[in-house]
C-alpha cells in the first residue's frame, strides 16, 4: 500500500505565517512597560498588580449589591488562597467583577455573580484573547493627555465583555493613591445609603469611597450586545512627555539577572584559578612565562586542537574520509 504524498509547504505560506506571528502574540498579550500608540510611548509598569474599585447598589431594598472590580494591566490576576473556585474569575483574567449580595437586616451575604470581563482564555473558557487596543485620548477629541486601553476576551451570561480604561494625565498622582480600602469609611457609606430616606440622585450602583481614589468606576453598560466596563485612572504615567525618575527605575535597572551573575561567577572563578595556580608554580617550581600558568601546555595547544577539530568537521561534511595509520607502498 502506497503512502499518500504530502503536498510540500510553499515558501510563501511559511513567510506569511512568520509575518503573522507578531500580530498573534500582540492579540494574546502586551508589555505594559512599552505601550506605543502613534509616536508616543507609555510605561504603565508602576501600576502593576491588582487594583480594585467598588460599587454599591441599593435600588432593590432591603438587599444591597456590592461589586468589586479588580484589574491588573500587566499580568493575569492571581487566585486567592482559600477562596472557592466558583467565587473567583477563571485563570487568565485581567479584569474581573465579583458581586456580593447582602441583606443588612438578616446579616447574610453571598457571592451572586462572577464576571470575567477581559483576559486570555483557553479551551476551558470562552476561547477568546485579550486583543488589546490603545489610542491617545487627544486623538479621540479629548482635551487632556492620556491613553485609552481596550481589553477583550470575557464572556458572561451569553454577552461578550469589554473593559475600557481611560488613563488620564495627572502630574500630582502616581495612580496608586487610596488603594488600601478603609473598612470604616465603606461601612459608613453603606449605612448612609441604606438609612437615607431621600431618593438617590442617581439610580443604580455608585462608587464606594470615591473621594481620593485614583482609579474610578464610570459605568457598566450594554452597548451593541456587548457589556462594557468603563474605568478612569488618574496617573502621571499617562502624561505623554513624562519620564520616570532614576529612583523609580533603580529597582529594575539596578538588578542583575541569572545569566549576568553566572558570567561574573565563572569569570571570577577562572581568574582566581589562574592567579592561584601561577603563584603556586612560581613558589614551588620557580616557573617563568607560560610555565607559570596551570596546564600551560594544554592552553598553548588549544589553537591546534581547534584547528584539528575544524578540519575533521569539514572532512565529515564533504564526505572525504581521513585515512589513518600507514599508507600502502
Amino acid at each position: 500500500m502506497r503512502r499518500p504524498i504530502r503536498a510540500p509547504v510553499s515558501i510563501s505560506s511559511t513567510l506569511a505565517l512568520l509575518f503573522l506571528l507578531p500580530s498573534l502574540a500582540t492579540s494574546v498579550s502586551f508589555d505594559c512597560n512599552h505601550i506605543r500608540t502613534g509616536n508616543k510611548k507609555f510605561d504603565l509598569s508602576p501600576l502593576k498588580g491588582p487594583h480594585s474599585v467598588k460599587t454599591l447598589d441599593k435600588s432593590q431594598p432591603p438587599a444591597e449589591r456590592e461589586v468589586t472590580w479588580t484589574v491588573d494591566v500587566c499580568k493575569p490576576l492571581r487566585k486567592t488562597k482559600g477562596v472557592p473556585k466558583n467565587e473567583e474569575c477563571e485563570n487568565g483574567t485581567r479584569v474581573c467583577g465579583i458581586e456580593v449580595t447582602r441583606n443588612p437586616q438578616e446579616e447574610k451575604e453571598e457571592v451572586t455573580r462572577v464576571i470575567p470581563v477581559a483576559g486570555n482564555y483557553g479551551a476551558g473558557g470562552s476561547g477568546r484573547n485579550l486583543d488589546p487596543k490603545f489610542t491617545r485620548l487627544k486623538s479621540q477629541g479629548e482635551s487632556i493627555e492620556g491613553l485609552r486601553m481596550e481589553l477583550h476576551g470575557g464572556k458572561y451570561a451569553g454577552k461578550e465583555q469589554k473593559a475600557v480604561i481611560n488613563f488620564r494625565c495627572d502630574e500630582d498622582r502616581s495612580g496608586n493613591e487610596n488603594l488600601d480600602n478603609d473598612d470604616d469609611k465603606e461601612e459608613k457609606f453603606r449605612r448612609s445609603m441604606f438609612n437615607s430616606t431621600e431618593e438617590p440622585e442617581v439610580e443604580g450602583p455608585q462608587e464606594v469611597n470615591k473621594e481620593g481614589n485614583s482609579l474610578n468606576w464610570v459605568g457598566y453598560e450594554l452597548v451593541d450586545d456587548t457589556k462594557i466596563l468603563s474605568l478612569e485612572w488618574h496617573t502621571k504615567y499617562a502624561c505623554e512627555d513624562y519620564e520616570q525618575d532614576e529612583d523609580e527605575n533603580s529597582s529594575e535597572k539596578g538588578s542583575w539577572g541569572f545569566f549576568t551573575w553566572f558570567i561574573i561567577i565563572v569569570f571570577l572563578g577562572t581568574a582566581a584559578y589562574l592567579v592561584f595556580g601561577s603563584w603556586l608554580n612560581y613558589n614551588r617550581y620557580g616557573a617563568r612565562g607560560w610555565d607559570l600558568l596551570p596546564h600551560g601546555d594544554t592552553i598553548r595547544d588549544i589553537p591546534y586542537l581547534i584547528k584539528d577539530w575544524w578540519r575533521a568537521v569539514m572532512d565529515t561534511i564533504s564526505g572525504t574520509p581521513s585515512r589513518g595509520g600507514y599508507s600502502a607502498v
Side-chain angles (χ1 to χ4, degrees):
M1 183 176 179
R2 298 179 63 184
R3 294 182 180 179
I5 300 175
R6 296 182 180 179
V9 179
S10 65
I11 298 177
S12 59
S13 300
T14 305
L15 292 176
L17 180 60
L18 292 175
F19 282 118
L20 282 174
L21 286 177
S23 61
L24 291 175
T26 304
S27 68
V28 172
S29 187
F30 63 94
D31 185 359
C32 64
N33 294 35
H34 307 283
I35 298 175
R36 182 174 293 276
T37 174
N39 59 348
K40 296 296 182 180
K41 178 183 174 183
F42 298 88
D43 181 3
L44 301 181
S45 59
L47 303 178
K48 63 185 177 182
H51 296 67
S52 298
V53 59
K54 295 182 179 182
T55 61
L56 185 63
D57 185 358
K58 68 159 196 170
S59 60
Q60 299 176 350
E64 295 180 353
R65 294 185 299 171
E66 182 182 80
V67 183
T68 301
W69 303 98
T70 306
V71 56
D72 190 334
V73 296
C74 292
K75 63 181 181 179
L77 297 170
R78 299 179 62 181
K79 293 284 189 178
T80 304
K81 189 176 181 180
V83 175
K85 185 178 180 180
N86 61 341
E87 295 185 2
E88 284 190 307
C89 284
E90 55 192 300
N91 291 327
T93 302
R94 293 282 190 107
V95 185
C96 176
I98 299 178
E99 179 186 78
V100 175
T101 300
R102 62 171 61 89
N103 189 335
Q105 295 179 348
E106 299 178 2
E107 297 183 352
K108 291 170 55 179
E109 67 176 35
E110 62 176 340
V111 175
T112 50
R113 289 195 300 171
V114 177
I115 308 171
V117 179
N120 289 315
Y121 306 104
S126 65
R128 292 170 56 84
N129 294 325
L130 193 64
D131 192 18
K133 299 184 185 302
F134 307 101
T135 53
R136 294 171 57 213
L137 291 183
K138 281 193 171 182
S139 68
Q140 301 295 315
E142 298 274 357
S143 60
I144 192 171
E145 293 180 359
L147 175 71
R148 174 169 297 169
M149 176 188 295
E150 296 183 13
L151 305 177
H152 308 78
K155 196 170 187 179
Y156 179 77
K159 301 291 184 183
E160 294 185 359
Q161 308 287 312
K162 182 170 73 170
V164 178
I165 309 174
N166 287 330
F167 295 87
R168 296 187 176 276
C169 173
D170 190 334
E171 296 179 354
D172 298 325
R173 292 194 181 194
S174 68
N176 294 315
E177 286 82 7
N178 207 20
L179 291 182
D180 297 325
N181 294 318
D182 192 329
D183 294 335
D184 292 336
K185 288 183 179 181
E186 291 183 15
E187 184 63 26
K188 289 178 181 179
F189 180 84
R190 294 193 193 99
R191 291 183 180 277
S192 65
M193 288 188 67
F194 185 77
N195 296 328
S196 175
T197 57
E198 299 180 359
E199 291 292 329
E201 295 182 2
V202 180
E203 292 288 345
Q206 299 181 41
E207 184 176 340
V208 177
N209 193 23
K210 181 175 182 178
E211 185 178 357
N213 288 349
S214 291
L215 177 62
N216 298 125
W217 177 84
V218 178
Y220 181 58
E221 300 176 345
L222 181 64
V223 179
D224 295 333
D225 207 36
T226 300
K227 291 286 282 187
I228 300 179
L229 171 67
S230 299
L231 303 173
E232 279 191 356
W233 207 327
H234 299 268
T235 173
K236 60 187 178 182
Y237 303 111
C239 300
E240 295 182 352
D241 297 324
Y242 177 77
E243 294 184 2
Q244 294 189 34
D245 297 332
E246 293 183 1
D247 293 340
E248 294 177 335
N249 285 331
S250 59
S251 59
E252 298 182 2
K253 292 185 178 180
S255 60
W256 289 347
F258 169 79
F259 289 103
T260 305
W261 280 110
F262 176 78
I263 293 173
I264 291 176
I265 291 173
V266 170
F267 175 79
L268 292 178
T270 304
Y273 173 77
L274 293 176
V275 171
F276 179 77
S278 300
W279 176 84
L280 191 64
N281 288 337
Y282 176 80
N283 287 277
R284 181 173 293 181
Y285 307 110
R288 296 288 189 278
W290 277 99
D291 295 331
L292 278 173
L293 295 176
H295 306 292
D297 294 335
T298 302
I299 295 175
R300 283 196 295 267
D301 289 338
I302 286 177
Y304 303 98
L305 293 173
I306 294 176
K307 184 178 180 180
D308 291 339
W309 172 81
W310 180 251
R311 183 180 299 167
V313 171
M314 295 304 296
D315 290 341
T316 303
I317 294 175
S318 61
T320 304
S322 57
R323 295 184 300 175
Y326 295 100
S327 299
V329 178

